């Protein structure tokens, strides 16, 4: 008896269909591409339409391109060439593009040029739509930042310290040659006055070089080394100082930038694959979230979170007409400037300061028994009492400005006599009398922060911050593999992160 043949389902690639299936039938009802389609259909594209010319040949519809681009970021496809291929290979992209096949140049030009002045408005409409549907709150947000590597060469850089060092070398070399010129032409009555090289610029360097050549020209007995130095200085110094001044203009308040992306600053990244804390060109990305939806974002070249909050809040005001009513953030934002800013805007600030967590430790008081905040203050007489019971009297104020120009004022209190005190060396480490600085305004703001953070609502918000804003970065960088920008320049990086923010919100809504 022969072996029984297995039974297979019919398979015929050339079978004709009376009613071929549509893309609508092939895509599940709850698929993310449908959410992208519904959300983009509900928002106004008037800001995007303004980026197109009214004359000339027809263009792909911006609504279609926006859907393709957003769904690409939802599904971890960031390359314009891969998006071009997906429009021909994926039923989800075919559904969104309505069987249109834009090439990678069209997609890239749409992302880098057309969206330049329109994407922020698109993002804001998506946020407001989600707020109306009850998914998020625009008024109560959680703020944090992360550093993401720029699309720049990490070996072509400019450092502010290197420029300062080279300028000092130039000053010393010019001063050295001038001293030699004075010794050579000491007998001449018309010897020019020596230049002031306290600070140097392009004009001063050029004038100094011209004077040196004027004094030393025609002198036949010049030292060969000095003649060579003068030739080098004449040839290179004016061009070098001009280059340094241009670089300093790009640097601004920063310490470094990449030559291939001047907006990117060198920062230490936690996700360094070399595991050696290598500095890389990067951007500081700030976001505010609500229920893990991104409400606001801003891109910065500052390496620290402290100096980004003012600009970030300003962006929130520009987007939604007012600052948030409540903000929760970690100790990276707890500065006098930020507390003052939030107080002035009537924002309830659940923001930690630097020592907040340490002060909650039971061992803090025993480890720092003589710190300034432990000393007794007599408000009526305006003096502190040192650990030995002696008065520390007010002796004046100390003022300093931060890198952002914010002025801080501290009151100084000095001990009367620390010589021979049994606590000398333990109470303080200075050689003379102990002086403490008390920033009255900052201490007042810290006290307000303490009261808010230790309240029931504050404790709840501190707990929620850890699983509201931080997982958003983890999701984008870890789960969706976005650890490096593809575009260069701050303006284009903002477009790229805006697409990521929209994609994050749509993914969250779809979930």
């Amino acid at each position: 008896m022969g072996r029984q043949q297995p039974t297979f389902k019919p398979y015929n690639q050339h079978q004709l269909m009376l009613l071929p299936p549509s893309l609508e039938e092939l895509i599940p009802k709850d698929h993310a591409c449908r959410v992208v389609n519904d959300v983009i259909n509900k928002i106004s594209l008037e800001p995007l339409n303004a980026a197109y010319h009214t004359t000339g040949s027809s263009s792909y519809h911006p609504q279609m391109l926006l859907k393709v681009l957003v769904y690409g970021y939802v599904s971890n496809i960031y390359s314009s060439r891969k998006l071009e291929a997906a429009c021909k290979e994926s039923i989800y992209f075919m559904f969104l593009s309505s069987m249109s096949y834009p090439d990678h140049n069209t997609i890239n030009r749409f992302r880098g040029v057309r969206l330049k002045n329109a994407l922020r408005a698109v993002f804001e409409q998506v946020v407001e739509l989600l707020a109306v549907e009850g998914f998020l709150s625009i008024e109560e947000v959680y703020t944090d930042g992360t550093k993401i590597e720029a699309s720049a060469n990490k070996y072509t850089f400019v450092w502010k310290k290197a420029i300062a060092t080279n300028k000092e070398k130039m000053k010393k070399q010019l001063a050295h040659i001038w001293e030699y010129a004075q010794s050579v032409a000491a007998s001449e009555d018309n010897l020019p006055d020596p230049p002031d090289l306290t600070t140097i610029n392009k004009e001063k360097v050029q004038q100094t070089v011209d004077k040196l050549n004027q004094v030393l020209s025609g002198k036949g007995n010049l030292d060969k080394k000095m003649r060579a130095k003068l030739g080098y200085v004449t040839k290179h110094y004016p061009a070098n100082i001009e280059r340094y001044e241009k670089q300093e203009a790009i640097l601004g308040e920063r310490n470094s930038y990449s030559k291939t992306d001047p907006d990117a600053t060198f920062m230490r990244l936690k996700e360094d694959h070399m595991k050696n804390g290598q500095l890389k060109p990067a951007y500081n990305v700030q976001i505010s979230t609500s229920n893990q939806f991104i409400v606001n974002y801003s891109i910065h070249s500052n390496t620290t979170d402290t100096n980004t909050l003012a600009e970030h809040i300003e962006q929130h005001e520009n987007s939604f007409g007012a600052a948030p009513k409540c903000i929760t953030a970690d100790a990276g934002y707890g500065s006098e400037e930020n507390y003052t800013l939030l107080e002035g805007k009537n924002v309830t600030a659940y923001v930690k300061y630097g020592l907040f967590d340490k002060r909650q430790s039971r061992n803090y008081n025993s480890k720092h028994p003589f710190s300034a905040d432990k000393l007794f203050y007599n408000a009526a007489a305006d003096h502190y009492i040192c650990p030995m019971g002696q008065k520390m009297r007010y002796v004046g104020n100390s003022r300093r400005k931060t890198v952002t120009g914010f002025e801080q004022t501290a009151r100084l209190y000095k001990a009367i006599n620390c010589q021979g005190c049994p606590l000398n060396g333990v109470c303080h480490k200075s050689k003379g009398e102990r002086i403490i600085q008390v920033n009255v305004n900052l201490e007042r703001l810290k006290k307000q922060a303490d009261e808010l953070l230790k309240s029931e609502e504050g404790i709840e918000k501190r707990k929620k911050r850890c699983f509201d804003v931080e997982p958003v970065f983890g999701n984008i960088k870890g789960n969706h593999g976005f650890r490096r920008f593809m575009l260069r320049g701050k303006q284009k990086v903002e477009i790229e992160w805006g697409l990521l923010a929209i994609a994050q919100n749509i993914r969250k809504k779809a979930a």
Side-chain angles (χ1 to χ4, degrees), residues 163-182:
I163 294 174
T165 301
N166 290 336
K167 288 172 75 173
E168 284 299 319
K169 289 180 180 178
M170 291 172 68
K171 287 161 62 174
K172 289 180 180 178
Q173 187 73 296
L174 289 170
H176 178 57
I177 299 175
W178 188 263
E179 288 177 6
Y180 175 77
Q182 284 183 312

Side-chain angles (χ1 to χ4, degrees), residues 8 40 93 127 166 184 276 282-283 363 414 473 492 496:
F8 297 107
I40 302 301
F93 283 92
V127 171
N166 290 336
V184 170
N276 59 1
Y283 288 93
N363 298 327
K414 185 177 181 180
F473 285 132
K492 289 186 177 181
E496 199 166 4

